[in-house]
Amino acid sequence: GEDIKPFTPEKAKEIVMSLQQPAVFCNMVDSWPALHWNVKYLSAVLDGKTIRFRLGLKTVDLVPQFETRCSYVEATLEEFLAWSCGQPSCLSGPFRCYDYSKYWAYADYKYIARIFEDKPEIFQDIRWSDFGFPGRSGKESTLWIGSEGANTPCHLDSYGCNLVLQVQGRKKWHLFPPGDTSFLYPTRIPYEESSIFSKVNITNPDLKRFPEFKNSTAHVVTLIPGQVLLVPRHWWHYVESIDPVTVSINSWIELDADHEARVEEAITRMLVCAIKSAENPSDGDLWLNPTEVEATSHEINLQYLNKAVSAYFKCQKTGVSEQTHSSSTGAEQRTSAPCKRKKREVGCELKGCRLQSHELDFSTSKAEEPLKIPFGPHLIQVLPQSQERGSMGAVPVESDSRDLLHENEGEHIGKLHCKRKHLVMSNDRETPAHQMDSDSSPHTSQTALSTNDLLDCLVNPHVINLVARLLLKRTGV
């Protein structure tokens, strides 16, 4: 019969672009062939091709397991599945040094366009056109394959909003609103363009070191196969696999507000690279995330900043000229960028964008839209953890998931092969100045400060947002 969905593509897009809180779409992807991407199927499609897995310890520490603290192995999906099932063959395979009971493995940020570059027909198994984004398919999507315990440290994405399809197993999401940024102690170390990490391990917070975290408000949801989670712009999130094997597919939807965010990211990159590159490189501080191949030069970073500023004003001019004869609403956003971790190509031009007349503050949400959000069985809001959840209020943590065995994969651009390196500042870092006892002498406070303490203040998201606005104002005069 005809595939009837609860929302038309136009309505779904309106919800995605207007809703400023996380929500789960249900019954929107039942016809997607990607729901049949299980481990065995993808293993056969990849035909022995290896992908990179990130490995971390299952032990719960007070410090987040950043990517700089993980190990990496190259393995096939067949080897990963055998390891996750505890098969003896793993004793001689790439996972031989990693006991499944002690470690988790994660093939994260794997771009479908790269992994399946020789099988482009598979891109059409993913149909984001059902959410109002025509032409967006697997080519603009990312795959994630993890074992139980695999997780992404709490962070926010500088660019866009995020649509996440759960394909196999369950993942538990902890989301925090943009207004909680100061409670999450943002840091740019390890540095990665477009990701702002939290220094707090939200599953085991160190409240002595991060006392303000207790003021944060977590929105928690367990995503099950067939559901699509909307992560709005600048919402913090920590994600963990809670089943033996999990697979997700996501696509980052670029927004007009990203034009200013690119300026902010360019400023941040210039400051972090300049200050950290000036330090003694032998101190073992792995300040670059493995996703960043190298610390770019000041000249390159300055070019990047100028390109970002030029693109901002170009898009602003285009938006103003089009506003008079455009009947589009705030849902009309630029959606051409395929991924969150945008390549830093200095010569690239940002085309086809339209800047809205309103601008978002980093710590606040949009003005409320007149759109009536149709919450119900097909669109479930993710409520704050402290609130009582009704039958329609949230996805149950122990939902009866469908028996789908779906495995996805993708290759993360620029990932380095790190052999169990540890971030020096993560465990033995000096006590930040704001945590010194009130009777500490000025001399003692000065000796306790580190470069990273300075950077945490200098490139704090609120500070960078202010600097970007001042810079754009100066440039626009």
Side-chain angles (χ1 to χ4, degrees):
E2 187 179 355
D3 179 27
I4 304 297
K5 300 183 184 303
F7 304 112
T8 64
E10 295 75 20
K11 186 64 174 179
K13 182 176 182 180
E14 189 179 14
I15 293 170
V16 168
M17 292 302 181
S18 301
L19 191 56
Q20 294 301 306
Q21 67 180 93
V24 176
F25 286 90
C26 302
N27 309 310
M28 284 290 290
V29 298
D30 294 346
S31 62
W32 289 20
L35 286 181
H36 302 289
W37 285 15
N38 58 40
V39 178
K40 291 182 179 179
Y41 170 76
L42 287 178
S43 180
V45 171
L46 291 172
D47 193 24
K49 186 175 183 177
T50 61
I51 56 176
R52 181 159 293 175
F53 287 86
R54 176 165 62 95
L55 293 108
L57 286 166
K58 290 183 176 180
T59 54
V60 180
D61 196 358
L62 290 174
V63 180
Q65 288 198 58
F66 293 123
E67 292 174 55
T68 45
R69 303 180 64 222
C70 292
S71 303
Y72 295 86
V73 300
E74 299 281 342
T76 65
L77 281 182
E78 186 177 9
E79 290 168 330
F80 165 73
L81 186 58
W83 173 76
S84 65
C85 295
Q87 295 182 11
S89 60
C90 297
L91 298 177
S92 59
F95 293 102
R96 62 186 178 277
C97 298
Y98 306 96
D99 187 337
Y100 178 75
S101 65
K102 298 179 181 179
Y103 289 89
W104 48 258
Y106 210 3
D108 49 359
Y109 299 102
K110 307 304 182 187
Y111 295 110
I112 294 175
R114 174 168 292 188
I115 293 300
F116 298 107
E117 57 186 351
D118 57 339
K119 299 177 177 64
E121 64 278 2
I122 205 170
F123 300 162
Q124 303 310 313
D125 287 3
I126 301 164
R127 303 168 179 173
W128 296 113
S129 57
D130 288 341
F131 286 84
F133 304 102
R136 182 173 287 254
S137 65
K139 188 177 182 181
E140 297 82 22
S141 302
T142 312
L143 295 128
W144 311 66
I145 309 170
S147 66
E148 184 179 0
N151 65 81
T152 303
C154 188
H155 69 285
L156 69 77
D157 303 328
S158 302
Y159 307 140
C161 63
N162 194 2
L163 287 174
V164 187
L165 166 64
Q166 191 63 25
V167 179
Q168 177 196 352
R170 298 169 299 161
K171 272 187 174 178
K172 192 170 186 177
W173 288 71
H174 300 250
L175 302 113
F176 301 85
D180 281 3
T181 292
S182 62
F183 306 146
L184 291 162
Y185 297 83
T187 183
R188 297 312 298 257
I189 305 296
Y191 174 75
E192 169 189 283
E193 183 187 352
S194 80
S195 290
I196 302 175
F197 292 103
S198 168
K199 290 190 285 187
V200 183
N201 182 349
I202 65 141
T203 61
N204 188 30
D206 185 347
L207 294 180
K208 289 184 178 179
R209 187 177 177 190
F210 309 115
E212 293 298 314
F213 177 72
K214 66 179 181 295
N215 296 321
S216 65
T217 303
H219 296 238
V220 182
V221 64
T222 297
L223 207 61
I224 65 174
Q227 295 179 333
V228 175
L229 173 66
L230 166 63
V231 181
R233 182 175 187 260
H234 285 172
W235 272 71
W236 294 83
H237 46 284
Y238 167 84
V239 191
E240 182 174 349
S241 298
I242 60 176
D243 280 329
V245 177
T246 64
V247 174
S248 308
I249 299 172
N250 85 292
S251 191
W252 283 282
I253 309 298
E254 202 164 78
L255 307 173
D256 286 337
D258 294 343
H259 302 311
E260 183 175 340
R262 287 194 187 88
V263 177
E264 295 175 3
E265 285 296 297
I267 295 169
T268 301
R269 168 170 285 276
M270 178 173 286
L271 291 173
V272 173
C273 287
I275 293 175
K276 293 299 291 184
S277 296
E279 280 193 318
N280 185 353
S282 63
D283 63 5
D285 182 3
L286 303 177
W287 63 273
L288 270 181
N289 215 40
T291 56
E292 297 288 333
V293 178
E294 61 183 359
T296 42
S297 69
H298 178 78
E299 290 72 20
I300 293 295
N301 292 336
L302 186 59
Q303 292 180 50
Y304 181 50
L305 174 60
N306 277 283
K307 286 292 181 181
V309 171
S310 296
Y312 173 89
F313 283 109
K314 181 179 179 180
C315 294
Q316 186 181 53
K317 183 177 180 181
T318 303
V320 170
S321 64
E322 290 181 357
Q323 229 173 14
T324 56
H325 53 80
S326 172
S327 59
S328 62
T329 67
E332 299 264 358
Q333 305 277 1
R334 179 172 180 259
T335 59
S336 60
C339 60
K340 178 195 70 156
R341 303 190 180 196
K342 194 158 184 70
K343 291 184 180 179
R344 297 176 308 281
E345 298 177 359
V346 173
C348 71
E349 292 293 334
L350 302 177
K351 299 179 180 179
C353 50
R354 178 178 296 124
L355 193 70
Q356 299 300 315
S357 58
H358 58 271
E359 290 291 341
L360 283 182
D361 237 355
F362 189 94
S363 61
T364 59
S365 300
K366 282 183 184 176
E368 296 217 346
E369 301 284 348
L371 173 69
K372 174 69 174 177
I373 302 298
F375 290 122
H378 304 299
L379 183 67
I380 305 171
Q381 58 183 321
V382 181
L383 295 175
Q385 193 173 31
S386 60
Q387 292 185 14
E388 191 67 29
R389 304 178 183 204
S391 58
M392 294 299 181
V395 180
V397 172
E398 297 299 332
S399 298
D400 184 19
S401 58
R402 294 173 234 173
D403 188 21
L404 296 173
L405 200 62
H406 299 284
E407 306 270 340
N408 300 357
E409 96 130 6
E411 188 54 19
H412 194 339
I413 295 174
K415 184 78 78 174
L416 298 179
H417 187 83
C418 298
K419 281 291 185 179
R420 303 190 53 70
K421 295 178 180 178
H422 294 275
L423 190 64
V424 169
M425 68 93 177
S426 60
N427 288 314
D428 304 318
R429 184 175 169 188
E430 301 90 345
T431 303
H434 69 272
Q435 292 175 10
M436 299 293 292
D437 292 334
S438 57
D439 59 349
S440 296
S441 67
H443 178 72
T444 303
S445 297
Q446 289 172 5
T447 58
L449 287 172
S450 69
T451 304
N452 292 341
D453 291 321
L454 174 63
L455 278 173
D456 283 342
C457 299
L458 202 59
V459 297
N460 180 283
H462 299 287
V463 175
I464 292 296
N465 179 263
L466 176 60
V467 173
R469 289 174 181 270
L470 290 171
L471 190 64
L472 291 171
K473 184 178 179 180
R474 172 188 292 264
T475 308
V477 173

